[in-house]
Each structure stands twice: as C-alpha cells, then as structure tokens.
Amino acid sequence: MRDAIKEGGFPGPRIQVAGPALSIIGGHGDATVGLAPNLRAAIEATGEQFWVCTGPLECGKAVRKIAAYGVDVIKFHATGGVLDDGKIGLEQHFTDEEMKAICDTAHQLGLKVAAHAHGAKGIGAAVRAGVDSIEHGTYADDADVALMKARGTYYVGTLMAFSGLRLYLGKGIYTANTEIKARQTLLVWGKALNRAYKAGVPIALGTDAAVFPHGRNGEEVGLMVSKGGMTPRDALIAATKGGADLLGLSRETGTLEPGKSADLIAVTGDPLTDPAAVTHVSYVMVEGRAIPLR
C-alpha cells in the first residue's frame, strides 16, 4: 500500500511502515500466548513468528529479517502491554543488552527505532539503548524525562489509546488482567506527556489507531491540550513538524516551505483556539494535489 500510493496508484497518506514489532517469548506481541500447548508448539515449529526473539544475537538477526521486507522503521515492545492478558505486567521485557542490539542493528541499517513502553524502568532502559522514540510512555517518571531530554528522544503519548480503553471497559470485551491494567493507566492519563512537555522533551503526535475506532485520530490534538497540558500551537507543531523530524522526513514535509511537499489540510474553525477544529476537515492536499473528500 505504501508503494502503491507513492507510485500514484491511488490517493492516500504518506506511509512509514514498521512491520511486526519485536517481542520476548510470552510477552506483549507473542501471538501464541494463551494457546493450547500443541498449537503453540506447531506455530513455533514453523518459524513464522521470527520477531519473537531471545538474546542480543537473535534480536539483531530478527531486526535484519524485518528490515529485509523493506520497512522504514523498527518497533519493539520494551515493556508489557495493556491489552495483552499476560501477568508480567507493564514493566521491562527485553533485557538492556537485547534492546541495545535491536537499536544498534536498526541504526546500522539506517532505520529509526520506536519502543512501545509503559513502565518507568522499561522506558529508561529503551532510552539508554538508543531508541528514537518512546510510544505511550505511560509511567515515565522524572528520571525518564530527564534522560529523554538529554538524549533527544521523542515522546509519542498516544492519548487516544486511553479513549479506546475507556470505550470498552466493563463490557466483557477485555480479560480480567487487561481490565485491571486499563483502569490503572487511566488514572495517569496524560500526566507523563505533561511532565515531558514541561521538561522540553521533543514531542510527536501518535494515536495507537485501532485501539479506538478508526477515523478519530484528529482527536489526539485536543487530548494533548486537555490531558497533556500542551498549548494548541505546540500540539499542532507536534502533529506536523514533530512527526516529520522524528522520522527523518523534515527535508520533505512537516512544514510549508519552498522546496518541500505541499501537504496540508483546511479546517473549519481556528485550531489555535479550538483544537477540535482539526477534526472538521474541509480540504486535503497531498504533494500539491487536491484530494477529493467523500
């Protein structure tokens, strides 16, 4: 899809592809968790789930395999996840050495690295390993924030993901373990982003789309203001320039300047005073071409 859009096959957004996220055995992203032992053994025997790795050498090899598919970014699960049923929790999964191997290998291949990370220790370990961005960062503490500021690590708060959690809680959709973790994270919704913002950590907008219904991504800007304490202007910068800077696309897009791609939207209202205005899109241009709205 990325390539078809780029080649003009059909209109669409500029896509950066990460492929499968690296995971530890039994951790967030291991699709065999919870399966009957014989089914798990059968899947493991195929070798298809190569992104589940153990040890620095194996993790480095997994990065190379994913990179060979032509991805633009490498992602790994530095900690447990809210939506998995694992009892390991939301703290560090990969070892420090494994994380460093992932980051070093990806960077040698010219790829950025993003880390799904909730718990404070896992966040710190990922930053020290050289990750380019922390996704979620739910429990980032003062030490994490100071480390991210010192290293220039981007913070991507994905506050819309918490809207998705709230939407489905108490409806028998999540397991008991997931319900507990979800309710705990809602208590600190946006607090880590506010901490990072006040400290001057570089911020990019992200949403964790699909945890909530597609089509609501623009609501992230408002949450960055209401929950994260950002100014509307800074939230807009994170949503445009921030993402481009993080992904190494700032020479191409992210701001409207001579020589850059003409990527823009027109909205009803003033997003500098009302962040919800970005959800009322009346015009879209990609690479200087108007995209019909349906």
Side-chain angles (χ1 to χ4, degrees), residues 20 91 135 184:
E91 261 307 342
E135 317 296 311
Q184 289 173 340

Side-chain angles (χ1 to χ4, degrees), residues 54-78:
T54 302
L57 292 178
E58 192 175 305
C59 288
K61 183 178 179 180
V63 170
R64 291 189 176 93
K65 283 189 174 183
I66 295 172
Y69 281 98
V71 303
D72 304 292
V73 179
I74 296 296
K75 182 178 179 180
F76 71 94
H77 294 127

Side-chain angles (χ1 to χ4, degrees), residues 12 14 251-265 283-291:
R14 180 182 282 96
R251 291 186 179 182
E252 178 181 352
T253 190
T255 56
L256 294 177
E257 299 179 66
K260 289 190 178 183
S261 178
D263 303 323
L264 59 92
I265 62 172
Y283 179 84
V284 175
M285 176 178 279
V286 177
E287 296 183 347
R289 298 189 301 273
I291 306 298

Side-chain angles (χ1 to χ4, degrees), residues 187-271:
L187 295 176
V188 295
W189 189 5
K191 291 183 179 180
L193 174 58
N194 181 255
R195 187 175 292 119
Y197 174 61
K198 288 181 176 178
V201 172
I203 295 169
L205 181 148
T207 65
D208 215 24
V211 174
F212 57 91
H214 281 292
R216 295 177 55 188
N217 304 50
E219 295 175 33
E220 182 77 16
V221 176
L223 288 174
M224 294 171 84
V225 175
S226 64
K227 292 288 187 180
M230 299 179 68
T231 66
R233 181 179 185 276
D234 286 343
L236 289 171
I237 290 173
T240 51
K241 185 178 184 296
D245 288 346
L246 166 58
L247 293 170
L249 299 174
S250 57
R251 291 186 179 182
E252 178 181 352
T253 190
T255 56
L256 294 177
E257 299 179 66
K260 289 190 178 183
S261 178
D263 303 323
L264 59 92
I265 62 172
V267 302
T268 302
D270 181 2

Side-chain angles (χ1 to χ4, degrees), residues 93-203:
H93 274 194
F94 283 108
T95 66
D96 292 3
E97 294 76 17
E98 289 168 336
M99 291 191 200
K100 189 173 189 305
I102 292 169
C103 293
D104 286 352
T105 304
H107 289 153
Q108 287 169 3
L109 297 172
L111 300 176
K112 298 279 189 173
V113 190
H116 154 108
H118 286 289
K121 291 182 180 178
I123 293 168
V127 175
R128 286 190 296 272
V131 74
D132 295 288
S133 67
I134 293 293
E135 317 296 311
H136 315 309
T138 311
Y139 293 100
D141 57 21
D142 290 338
D144 291 332
V145 166
L147 189 60
M148 293 175 71
K149 174 69 181 298
R151 303 232 176 171
T153 310
Y154 273 75
Y155 186 101
V156 182
T158 68
L159 302 185
M160 275 300 295
F162 299 92
S163 292
L165 293 176
R166 191 171 59 175
L167 186 64
Y168 300 120
L169 276 174
K171 296 183 179 180
I173 296 173
Y174 297 143
T175 66
N177 285 334
T178 295
E179 287 261 341
I180 292 171
K181 288 185 287 185
R183 294 183 188 280
Q184 289 173 340
T185 58
L186 282 170
L187 295 176
V188 295
W189 189 5
K191 291 183 179 180
L193 174 58
N194 181 255
R195 187 175 292 119
Y197 174 61
K198 288 181 176 178
V201 172
I203 295 169

